[in-house]
Amino acid sequence: MDKFTRKTSFEQWFSPISSTKLEELVETHHLNYYTKKLHITSFLKLLVFAQLNEIESLRAVSETLFSDDLQKATDLESISFSQLGRRLNQIPTDVFQQVFLDLVAQIHAKSQYEQRRKTTTPLKIIDSSTLPLNLNN
């Protein structure tokens, strides 16, 4: 038997999400309380998969679980789109924001952002909720 276990591509895509940060968010927001099947980790894996594969609806996401590989990666055999919708509504946007900001911080650390920022134009994230609405167009 090999000493080296290879990560699947899917595991590599999900691995930058800090498990300790995610556990803190789960505890803070009580995300896995009263949850029998769709724990936050499995749900986030499904969302990452859906984003990477440009899946357009929760119904289509639930249908992708017919794949044995995806079932193994998410620890789910099946899930209905209504369960996905309810779960999505239960998770505060702050959780997704914190995961995103943690990933951005990792990118900055690996790309030596602070040093490069002085010589290049910085990346700016625009929050569309703060932009004024133009109702005339």
Side-chain angles (χ1 to χ4, degrees):
M1 188 168 155
D2 278 349
K3 284 193 235 179
F4 306 103
T5 57
R6 296 177 189 238
K7 284 186 174 182
T8 65
S9 296
F10 188 74
E11 289 169 335
Q12 290 176 15
W13 293 329
F14 195 74
S15 64
I17 298 175
S18 169
S19 60
T20 54
K21 180 74 169 176
L22 190 57
E23 286 174 18
E24 287 174 15
L25 290 168
V26 167
E27 286 298 315
T28 302
H29 296 283
H30 308 291
L31 296 175
N32 283 336
Y33 287 6
Y34 305 111
T35 302
K36 294 179 183 177
K37 187 175 184 180
L38 190 55
H39 294 280
I40 190 69
T41 305
S42 297
F43 183 67
L44 283 177
K45 286 179 180 180
L46 279 177
L47 289 181
V48 168
F49 178 81
Q51 181 66 35
L52 291 171
N53 290 288
E54 299 177 7
I55 298 174
E56 295 182 6
S57 69
L58 294 178
R59 188 179 302 268
V61 171
S62 70
E63 291 171 0
T64 60
L65 276 174
F66 291 121
S67 162
D68 291 336
D69 292 336
L70 187 57
Q71 286 178 1
K72 190 184 297 184
T74 60
D75 296 325
L76 293 170
E77 291 181 18
S78 66
I79 198 78
S80 70
F81 71 94
S82 60
Q83 286 173 303
L84 291 172
R86 282 192 300 273
R87 189 66 166 143
L88 186 59
N89 287 333
Q90 292 171 348
I91 300 173
T93 54
D94 182 54
V95 172
F96 296 114
Q97 182 180 15
Q98 290 300 316
V99 170
F100 174 76
L101 291 175
D102 185 55
L103 292 172
V104 169
Q106 288 179 44
I107 291 168
H108 285 175
K110 288 183 180 179
S111 65
Q112 298 162 348
Y113 174 76
E114 291 301 323
Q115 293 172 351
R116 295 178 71 205
R117 189 177 114 194
K118 295 174 185 171
T119 60
T120 62
T121 305
L123 172 66
K124 296 187 180 187
I125 299 171
I126 299 172
D127 182 3
S128 63
S129 66
T130 61
L131 297 175
L133 293 176
N134 186 354
L135 301 176
N136 296 331
N137 291 339

